[in-house]
């Protein structure tokens, strides 16, 4: 997220379709991992030493790795290294300055593109492909150019005609911001159309008050949510990837301006509550401001920037939200989506809408006969680990309080489309304003409010219905459970 992004910051992307999975992992994770962060040469996945060091620091094996590759140059060695490491390649590909978007659209690059597509087809494995990222900004040669859509569509057509149906196309924007009441760097005019895109996503940072490029401190939600709402409006139902994400250590001294707390909030609170986000990649590179040799200083993006930040990442990424192993890959199909049994079609058609998209709710939601306020309270029978009570209005307009009774200690995971949720203070909650760790048996209170398109519906129509999913993972390795129910909100 930047108004005047410097070229020294590069690469990353990925996104994934929301699935109403039970208590199973539902998000790829990984990063752009450079050896400089550890005083090592090379980068992941080709350097085993670099990859092993990052995975050791994180305490978990990655399932996606970002790798930059030059224009229509298929680096088979790097791609094979990623698969061997158990990670999906995320290929970030620029357009060189000496080749214009108009030339691509006119077919001048077709022969080179066909050769690249042939190599991609021979590779066979699905991979996420991010060409010409952050096109809504002006810092790259392809940025804010009128010919972007025509060039993207032609590129896509040539690759599909060559039979490289394993190429999973990711349209990745830079985070947007408001200026004088309007959206700056609006990405709408660069949208190629649903049939030309499989995933959408963004690059999003908390720049804080780092003197290399001071901005303001953004918490985890603030760094992503405004742009996520834009993406969900442009491409409803498409899976979302946060391709580049990181935080500085430097704020203005406020108690909540801590990178460790920011990581805790991102991994433990925000991402698990967003069903449309299906991949998250950290920018683990202490890149030099302004590019190599500038002498301006290096950023503190890596998780290893402090022991507290590394520990927060290590703890947060252990959640079952984040995949620790790849799902089965089908040759020449699109990238599989966690929780979805059948792979997406290899054709260039639009994938099925995500759970919770407007007007496309799954049968399990449509078949709710009544809102939870009309449902009887479930007794805490023997063996029951969690009970959701009848919701009641909260003290804030458009909000509701949902009682949750748990049978013992464990972890709660709250998710649902178009909502914001927080656990109200309770003696049963571990003492942290961000934690959903439950210390013991008892009743908690979950406050839910409408967000995004649901909030707009609430304002326009006076009411809205949310579907809340509450997962509970008992401490000590007990069987996880998940429950869903509808909640009616009114102004």
């Amino acid at each position: 997220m930047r108004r005047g992004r410097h070229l020294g910051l590069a690469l990353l992307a990925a996104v994934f379709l929301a699935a109403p999975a039970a208590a199973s992992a539902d998000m790829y994770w990984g990063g752009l991992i450079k050896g400089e962060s550890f005083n090592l040469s090379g980068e992941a996945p080709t350097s085993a030493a670099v990859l092993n060091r990052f995975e050791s620091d994180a305490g978990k094996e990655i399932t996606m790795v970002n790798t930059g590759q030059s224009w229509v140059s298929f680096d088979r060695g790097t791609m094979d290294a990623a698969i061997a490491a158990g990670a999906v390649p995320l290929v970030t590909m620029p357009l060189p300055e000496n080749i214009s978007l108009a030339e691509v659209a006119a077919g001048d690059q077709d022969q080179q593109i066909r050769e690249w597509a042939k190599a991609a087809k021979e590779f066979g494995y699905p991979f996420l492909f991010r060409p010409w990222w952050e096109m809504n900004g002006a810092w790259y040669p392809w940025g804010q150019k009128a010919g972007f859509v025509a060039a993207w569509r032609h590129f896509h057509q040539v690759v599909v005609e060559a039979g490289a149906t394993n190429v999973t196309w990711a349209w990745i924007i830079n985070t947007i911001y408001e200026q004088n009441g309007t959206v700056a760097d609006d990405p709408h005019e660069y949208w190629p159309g649903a049939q030309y895109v499989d995933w959408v996503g963004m690059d999003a940072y908390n720049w804080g008050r780092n003197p290399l490029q001071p901005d303001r401190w953004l918490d985890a939600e603030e760094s992503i949510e405004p742009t996520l709402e834009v993406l969900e409006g442009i491409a409803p139902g498409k899976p979302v990837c946060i391709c580049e994400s990181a935080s500085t250590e430097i704020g203005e001294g406020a108690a909540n301006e801590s990178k460790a707390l920011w990581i805790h909030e991102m991994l433990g609170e925000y991402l698990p509550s967003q069903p449309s986000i299906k991949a998250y990649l950290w920018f683990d590179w202490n890149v030099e401001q302004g590019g190599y040799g500038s002498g301006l200083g290096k950023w503190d993006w890596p998780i290893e920037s402090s022991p507290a930040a590394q520990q927060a990442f290590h703890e947060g990424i252990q959640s079952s939200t984040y995949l620790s192993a790849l799902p089965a890959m089908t040759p020449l199909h699109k990238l599989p989506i966690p929780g979805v049994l059948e792979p997406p079609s290899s054709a260039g058609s639009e994938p099925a809408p995500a759970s919770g998209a407007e007007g496309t709710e799954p049968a399990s939601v449509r078949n709710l006969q009544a809102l939870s306020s009309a449902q009887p309270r479930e007794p805490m029978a023997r063996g029951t680990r969690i009970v959701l009570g009848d919701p009641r209005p909260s003290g804030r307009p458009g909000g509701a309080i949902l009682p949750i009774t748990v049978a013992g200690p464990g972890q709660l995971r709250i998710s649902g489309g178009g909502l914001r949720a927080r656990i109200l203070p309770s003696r049963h909650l571990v003492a942290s304003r961000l934690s959903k760790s439950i210390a013991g048996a008892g009743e908690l209170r979950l406050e839910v409010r409408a967000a995004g398109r649901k909030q707009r519906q609430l304002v326009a129509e006076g009411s809205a219905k949310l579907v809340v999913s509450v997962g509970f993972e008992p401490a000590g390795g007990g069987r996880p459970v998940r429950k869903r129910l509808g909640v009616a909100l009114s102004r």
Side-chain angles (χ1 to χ4, degrees), residues 249 259-261 263 302-314:
E249 295 270 2
K259 181 173 180 177
L261 190 64
I263 292 172
I303 64 171
E304 298 84 1
S305 59
S306 69
Q310 181 185 332
Q311 181 64 22
F313 194 92
H314 185 285

Side-chain angles (χ1 to χ4, degrees), residues 6-11 32-37 40-43 283-299:
H6 288 285
L7 294 182
L9 277 178
L11 328 182
L32 174 70
I33 306 163
K34 295 281 192 176
E36 290 178 63
S37 302
L40 296 172
S41 61
E43 62 184 79
F283 194 89
D284 210 77
W285 181 17
N286 55 343
V287 63
E288 189 166 8
Q289 175 77 353
Y292 286 110
S294 68
L296 297 177
K298 293 188 174 184
W299 278 89

Side-chain angles (χ1 to χ4, degrees), residues 149 164 169 198 209 358 369 483 485:
V149 168
W169 295 77
D198 301 303
R209 298 299 297 172
E358 284 296 342
Q369 297 301 310
K483 298 197 174 184
L485 78 164

Side-chain angles (χ1 to χ4, degrees), residues 138-452:
W139 39 86
Y140 291 127
W142 56 86
Q144 298 184 350
K145 296 293 193 299
F148 181 89
V149 168
W152 180 289
R153 289 177 176 177
H154 186 79
F155 188 8
H156 182 279
Q157 178 182 346
V158 175
V159 172
V160 170
E161 289 176 350
T165 48
N166 52 323
V167 178
T168 307
W169 295 77
W171 183 77
I172 308 304
I173 67 175
N174 191 60
T175 45
I176 55 93
Y177 65 98
E178 287 193 1
Q179 188 175 55
N180 299 324
T182 61
V183 173
D185 294 347
D186 190 330
H188 283 76
E189 65 182 288
Y190 311 110
W191 172 238
Q195 66 269 41
Y196 299 98
V197 175
D198 301 303
W199 299 71
V200 295
M202 74 182 82
D203 296 342
Y205 292 85
N206 172 32
W207 302 79
R209 298 299 297 172
N210 192 307
L212 292 176
Q213 192 171 314
D215 189 28
R216 66 186 181 91
W217 187 271
L218 299 175
D219 65 28
E221 179 177 348
E222 288 175 322
S223 72
I224 292 176
E225 185 70 18
T227 306
L228 181 63
E229 291 188 10
V230 170
L231 285 175
E232 290 177 341
I234 292 174
K238 296 288 186 183
V240 179
C241 172
I242 310 303
C243 304
E244 299 179 28
S245 178
S247 173
T248 181
E249 295 270 2
I250 304 173
E252 297 184 15
N256 65 334
E257 293 180 350
S258 154
K259 181 173 180 177
L261 190 64
W262 193 94
I263 292 172
H264 177 83
E265 181 182 11
M266 178 66 78
L267 298 182
E269 296 291 315
Y270 183 71
L271 292 177
S273 73
Q274 300 300 317
S276 64
I277 298 176
K278 303 308 294 181
Y280 181 75
L281 292 98
W282 191 269
F283 194 89
D284 210 77
W285 181 17
N286 55 343
V287 63
E288 189 166 8
Q289 175 77 353
Y292 286 110
S294 68
L296 297 177
K298 293 188 174 184
W299 278 89
D300 56 348
W301 299 132
I303 64 171
E304 298 84 1
S305 59
S306 69
Q310 181 185 332
Q311 181 64 22
F313 194 92
H314 185 285
E315 291 177 355
I317 208 66
Q318 305 313 310
S319 167
S320 61
T321 296
Y322 309 103
L323 283 168
S324 57
L326 292 178
M329 299 285 184
T330 303
L332 295 181
H333 278 70
K334 299 297 185 183
L335 186 66
I337 297 168
V340 177
L341 297 179
E342 295 297 326
S345 169
S346 60
S349 59
E350 184 175 1
S355 169
E358 284 296 342
T360 59
E361 291 176 324
S364 60
V365 175
R366 294 196 306 269
N367 292 339
L368 285 172
Q369 297 301 310
L371 300 175
S372 57
S373 57
Q375 296 173 346
R377 182 183 294 271
E378 179 184 348
M380 184 62 88
R382 182 177 178 84
T384 301
R385 292 188 171 90
I386 181 173
V387 171
L388 306 185
D390 300 337
R392 56 183 181 271
S394 71
R396 298 201 280 183
I401 300 295
L402 176 65
I404 301 174
T405 304
V406 295
Q411 292 280 333
L412 278 182
R413 293 176 57 198
I414 314 298
S415 63
L419 64 82
R420 288 192 175 94
R422 68 185 182 114
I423 298 289
L424 300 179
S426 166
R427 64 186 179 87
H428 302 292
L429 192 68
V430 172
S432 167
R433 72 179 185 89
L434 294 173
S435 177
K436 289 190 177 73
S437 296
I438 310 306
E443 185 174 279
L444 305 163
R445 293 181 302 151
L446 173 68
E447 181 184 46
V448 296
R449 292 184 295 131

